[in-house]
């Protein structure tokens, strides 16, 4: 699989299984691991880095019974724009994208799995899944972890578990995140209080487009803070409990909005669809907020049906890297805003197969 | 004044950022300023890193303990034998340099982990590394015995030992590549 496959496809395999949940967008599991006997990436030499890469490559490529088909990409060979797109797709971290020499990534064709090598830790296994599939995604990530452990000896201690560069990951090395669309809680200004509550429960809340973008498109990522002193299953269960509670709150906030101001709400959501369909210049902020409104409108049954996967694809496409990839050249921000509008219109006017079956969001109230 | 980013056009936009409680003012021209919105992907410019945030957070100690740690670290600045890291460097960057740091700074660790984690002991899935190491060692010993048995022409014993080695090897590699 060459890199173009991963750069042009805004609708990777893992995003295709819809499960009717229109509040939970996706689940992500990350396992941090290091190889015993080699220093961590922040203090190792280039030779040691190469040694780590060779070990991971041998484990992933040389053995016949490996059930996964990974493609391998060293970061140093990638132009800036390609790195940016992989960050926008959450396949690599911004941290890895900045590297000049060291670091690489292994990705499966459907992009459900990616393994970053020599990022902050030697190995970071990631599993992405559509909708709320915390335990399932964890099992899949753990399978790869078990597979690697047969060929690689991890840095592990009875007392502290999996040893990681940053002590915020030590123990299980597990970070589980769920991405949620919470427009009603955002518009009714309940998010700040909720974020505080979740922080007290040991969760971290962030915007999807990285730090400092908390409100963009009303999409939030909730993940566990604690990795040591709790078992994997407890960590996942606690995250699930918090997420389910937030979903309940979002649902009741939606209901309340519908009762209190139905026509204002319908007007606002319809206007957003109009903007997406007819605007000629769209900043990423405006596009994100209109997409959020349209997603809400579709799920409340106030707007014409658009599939979740189509909306997810649009959310990826509005990012600067994708637009420039689509146009095939680097663009000034003002030019991007014009192409963004065009790209969204093309996407939204395409035939939507899953909707033609007469399906609608099951979560509509 | 000229723009702090392109260093060409006159600066007429003031951007005020608060980083670690310190106000930082930057001056840009309109064109460069327009590029600094939340979606902008600036690889060259380091954002307020979560690492820094975490390390500030880990550094946050009641005054008395800070003193104690200072005294403790000043008395004997232990370097990690493998990567050379000192505890002070660790507090600054928030990251360990190698797995042995966990041994080197074992004395300071519980206090640190209590603040940022739910406990100081791993209770999750257990890695089998230790037993694999043991099995590999066992295989080595058996190989030596096998050699001795062959030299001494105790072929029955040798066959038994060989089977035993095969069994252990299959445990380590779970039926994969059949050689060490």
């Amino acid at each position: 699989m060459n890199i173009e496959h991963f750069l042009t496809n805004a609708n990777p395999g893992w995003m295709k299984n819809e499960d009717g949940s229109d509040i939970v967008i996706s689940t992500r599991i990350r396992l941090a691991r290091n190889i015993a006997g080699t220093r961590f990436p922040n203090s190792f030499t280039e030779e040691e880095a190469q040694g780590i890469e060779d070990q991971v490559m041998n484990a992933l490529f040389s053995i016949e019974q490996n059930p996964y088909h990974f493609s391998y990409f060293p970061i140093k060979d990638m132009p800036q724009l390609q790195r940016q797109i992989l960050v926008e797709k959450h396949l690599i971290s911004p941290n890895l994208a900045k590297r000049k020499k060291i670091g690489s990534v292994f990705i499966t064709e459907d992009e459900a799995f990616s393994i970053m090598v020599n990022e902050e830790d030697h190995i970071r296994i990631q599993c992405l899944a559509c909708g709320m599939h915390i335990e399932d995604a964890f099992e899949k990530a753990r399978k790869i972890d078990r597979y690697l452990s047969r060929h690689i000896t991890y840095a592990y201690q009875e007392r502290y578990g999996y040893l990681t560069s940053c002590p915020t990951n030590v123990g299980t090395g597990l970070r589980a995140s769920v991405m949620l669309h919470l427009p009603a809680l955002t518009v009714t200004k309940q998010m700040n209080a909720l974020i505080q509550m979740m922080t007290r429960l040991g969760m971290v809340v962030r915007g999807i487009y990285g730090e400092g973008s908390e409100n963009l498109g009303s999409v939030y990522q909730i993940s566990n803070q604690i990795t040591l002193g709790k078992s994997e299953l407890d960590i996942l269960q606690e995250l699930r409990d918090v997420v389910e509670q937030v979903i309940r709150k979002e649902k009741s906030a939606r209901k309340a909005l519908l009762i209190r101001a139905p026509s204002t709400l319908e007007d606002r959501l319809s206007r957003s669809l109009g903007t997406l369909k007819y605007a000629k210049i769209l900043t990423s902020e405006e596009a994100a907020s209109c997409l959020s409104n349209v997603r809400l409108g579709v799920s409340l049954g106030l707007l014409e049906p658009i599939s979740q996967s189509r909306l997810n694809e649009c959310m990826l496409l509005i990012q600067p890297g994708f637009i420039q990839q689509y146009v095939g050249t680097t663009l000034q921000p003002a030019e991007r805003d014009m192409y963004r509008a065009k790209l969204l219109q093309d996407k939204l006017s395409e035939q939507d197969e899953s909707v033609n079956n007469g399906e609608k969001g099951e979560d509509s109230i | 004044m000229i723009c702090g980013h392109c260093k060409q056009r006159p600066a007429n936009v003031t951007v005020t950022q608060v980083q670690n409680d310190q106000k930082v003012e930057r001056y840009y021209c309109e064109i460069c300023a327009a590029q600094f919105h939340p979606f902008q992907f600036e690889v060259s410019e380091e954002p307020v890193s979560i690492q820094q945030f975490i390390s500030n957070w880990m550094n946050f100690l009641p005054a008395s303990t800070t003193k104690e740690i200072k005294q403790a670290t000043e008395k004997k600045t232990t370097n990690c034998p493998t990567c050379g890291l000192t505890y002070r460097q660790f507090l600054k960057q928030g990251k360990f340099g190698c797995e042995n740091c966990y041994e080197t700074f074992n004395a300071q660790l519980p206090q640190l982990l209590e603040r940022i984690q739910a406990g100081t002991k791993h209770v999750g899935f257990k890695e089998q590394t230790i037993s694999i190491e043991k099995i590999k060692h066992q295989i080595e010993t058996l190989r030596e015995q096998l050699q001795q048995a062959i030299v001494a022409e105790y072929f029955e014993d040798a066959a038994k030992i060989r089977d035993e080695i095969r069994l252990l090897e299959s445990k380590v590699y779970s039926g994969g590549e059949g050689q060490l």
Side-chain angles (χ1 to χ4, degrees):
Chain A
M1 204 53 59
N2 61 15
I3 185 79
E4 271 66 37
H5 168 83
F6 300 104
L7 297 177
T8 48
N9 185 6
N11 192 13
W14 70 268
M15 272 174 39
K16 286 187 181 127
N17 339 310
E18 288 185 51
D19 61 353
S21 148
D22 57 349
I23 294 175
V24 179
I25 297 170
S26 62
T27 306
R28 171 158 59 156
I29 297 288
R30 191 222 61 201
L31 294 172
R33 299 288 185 257
N34 285 283
I35 297 181
T38 308
R39 289 178 284 185
F40 296 154
N42 64 346
S43 69
F44 67 6
T45 62
E46 258 181 72
E47 289 78 54
E48 284 174 297
Q50 194 54 51
I52 297 286
E53 235 171 70
D54 292 346
Q55 281 197 57
V56 178
M57 200 160 348
N58 282 338
L60 289 177
F61 286 156
S62 67
I63 294 103
E64 324 81 66
Q65 56 166 4
N66 178 4
Y68 311 99
H69 298 283
F70 281 98
S71 304
Y72 162 74
F73 305 106
I75 293 298
K76 65 174 177 355
D77 298 345
M78 275 189 207
Q80 208 53 57
L81 183 59
Q82 295 190 356
R83 302 180 186 200
Q84 184 178 352
I85 292 172
L86 294 187
V87 172
E88 289 174 358
K89 294 180 96 170
H90 293 119
L91 291 173
I92 64 173
S93 66
N95 190 8
L96 192 72
K98 275 180 220 155
R99 295 293 176 73
K100 292 200 172 63
K101 285 182 183 162
I102 292 164
S104 57
V105 63
F106 294 82
I107 312 175
T108 54
E109 192 195 339
D110 63 357
E111 299 172 27
F113 300 105
S114 71
I115 300 177
M116 286 193 286
V117 179
N118 292 333
E119 204 245 18
E120 184 183 295
D121 294 301
H122 292 149
I123 299 173
R124 290 233 165 149
I125 303 167
Q126 173 180 280
C127 178
L128 291 167
C130 213
M132 177 99 152
H133 290 289
I134 302 177
E135 291 79 10
D136 190 39
F138 173 71
E139 277 314 314
K140 286 179 178 161
R142 183 163 163 76
K143 246 186 206 158
I144 295 204
D145 171 52
R146 290 302 84 208
Y147 175 78
L148 283 176
S149 77
R150 278 192 252 141
H151 307 280
I152 283 168
T153 310
Y154 287 141
Y156 175 89
Q157 249 186 33
E158 194 87 336
R159 172 159 189 198
Y160 295 125
Y162 295 97
L163 305 179
T164 54
S165 183
C166 187
T168 51
N169 297 317
V170 73
T172 57
L174 165 66
R175 188 132 291 137
S177 353
V178 176
M179 212 181 266
L180 296 162
H181 180 228
L182 307 172
L185 288 173
T186 307
V187 83
T188 55
K189 303 206 163 30
Q190 299 181 59
M191 273 319 287
N192 276 346
L194 262 180
I195 289 173
Q196 276 179 20
M197 172 207 93
M198 288 190 267
T199 312
R200 274 203 300 275
L201 293 171
M203 301 294 153
V204 189
V205 186
R206 250 179 265 149
I208 42 161
Y209 299 107
E211 274 156 71
S213 68
E214 268 69 17
N215 256 331
L216 234 44
S218 306
V219 176
Y220 302 82
Q221 183 183 298
I222 304 177
S223 46
N224 63 302
Q225 172 70 52
I226 304 291
T227 57
L228 182 72
K230 281 183 190 170
S231 74
E232 284 85 351
L233 298 178
D234 286 347
I235 289 171
L236 298 177
Q237 189 55 48
E238 281 172 23
L239 178 67
R240 170 176 282 280
D241 291 345
V242 168
V243 167
E244 278 171 355
Q245 206 178 329
V246 172
I247 293 175
R248 274 198 296 278
K249 283 197 191 299
E250 168 70 17
K251 279 186 178 164
S252 69
R254 287 180 184 192
K255 239 178 232 166
L257 273 182
L258 264 180
I259 293 166
R260 232 183 295 144
S263 39
T264 322
L265 184 67
E266 190 175 359
D267 173 69
R268 191 164 163 178
L269 305 182
S270 306
R271 276 167 187 272
S272 289
L273 183 59
T275 305
L276 288 184
K277 278 188 165 170
Y278 297 108
K280 294 293 167 225
I281 296 173
L282 273 176
T283 62
S284 28
E285 289 88 342
E286 190 178 10
S289 107
C290 287
L291 273 174
S292 163
N293 282 342
V294 169
R295 187 186 283 270
L296 177 62
V298 170
S299 110
L300 293 177
L302 294 173
L303 298 179
E304 57 195 77
I306 304 171
S307 72
Q308 295 294 323
S309 73
R310 173 68 38 101
L311 291 169
N312 292 345
E313 197 179 344
C314 288
M315 260 172 44
L316 274 181
L317 283 175
I318 62 169
Q319 301 180 88
F322 260 102
I323 291 168
Q324 296 179 74
Q325 172 71 29
Y326 170 75
V327 181
T329 173
T330 49
L331 299 168
Q332 289 300 309
E335 295 174 299
R336 266 186 240 155
D337 294 348
M338 292 194 286
Y339 281 107
R340 180 177 293 114
K342 185 170 179 319
L343 191 54
L344 276 170
Q345 274 142 40
D346 291 351
K347 222 4 107 188
L348 288 172
S349 63
E350 275 175 25
Q351 272 292 324
D352 217 333
E353 289 148 31
S354 63
V355 171
N356 286 349
N357 307 335
E359 282 176 31
K360 245 207 288 181
E362 284 166 26
D363 263 357
S364 52
I365 306 162
Chain B
M1 192 182 310
I2 58 158
C3 168
H5 186 249
C6 64
K7 309 231 171 9
Q8 287 169 357
R9 291 175 285 263
N12 45 16
V13 178
T14 309
V15 177
T16 312
Q17 275 185 317
V18 181
Q19 289 180 338
N20 307 332
D21 283 346
Q22 281 191 325
K23 236 178 45 191
V24 184
E25 288 202 332
R26 296 201 175 87
Y27 306 95
Y28 301 118
C29 65
E30 274 171 357
I31 295 157
C32 292
Q35 297 182 13
F36 291 107
H37 60 75
F39 268 103
Q40 189 60 35
F41 182 85
E42 269 286 319
V43 176
S44 54
E45 207 163 305
E46 185 82 17
V48 191
S49 76
I50 182 117
Q51 234 62 54
Q52 192 59 47
F53 173 74
I54 289 166
S55 90
N56 288 345
W57 181 31
M58 293 192 294
N59 249 324
F60 177 74
L61 293 169
S64 58
T65 30
T66 322
K67 232 184 213 168
E68 277 164 32
I69 284 201
K70 239 183 203 162
Q71 282 169 354
T73 40
E74 268 163 19
K75 252 186 232 161
K76 44 171 179 81
T77 39
T78 8
N79 286 69
C80 174
T82 325
C83 66
L85 193 83
T86 64
Y87 197 66
R88 186 171 295 206
Q89 282 173 325
F90 161 70
L91 286 178
K92 216 168 155 191
Q93 65 185 45
K95 288 189 204 172
F96 287 122
C98 68
E99 59 191 298
N100 291 338
C101 288
Y102 283 88
E103 291 284 340
T104 314
F105 307 115
N106 198 19
Q108 290 99 322
L109 265 179
Q111 204 183 10
L112 166 84
L113 292 171
E114 251 162 44
R115 244 183 349 264
I116 58 170
Q117 297 283 11
T120 59
K121 203 170 167 350
H122 176 58
V123 294
F125 286 119
K126 290 195 163 50
E127 186 65 44
Q128 301 295 314
T129 44
I130 300 145
S131 64
I132 285 182
E133 288 299 298
K134 266 186 196 159
I135 293 172
K136 279 186 179 167
H137 185 75
Q138 230 174 319
I139 293 174
E140 287 306 308
T141 342
L142 282 171
R143 284 229 169 113
E144 280 165 29
Q145 288 178 14
L146 180 66
Q147 281 306 318
Q148 287 164 9
I150 293 170
V151 171
E153 298 187 357
Y154 292 143
F155 294 116
E156 252 175 61
D157 288 355
K160 261 187 216 158
I161 295 168
R162 185 203 57 205
D163 291 345
E164 219 171 308
I165 290 174
R166 282 203 186 142
L167 185 77
L168 289 174
E169 278 180 349
S170 71
K171 260 188 208 161
V172 179
Y173 295 98
S174 348
E177 19 156 38
Q179 58 193 42
L180 271 175

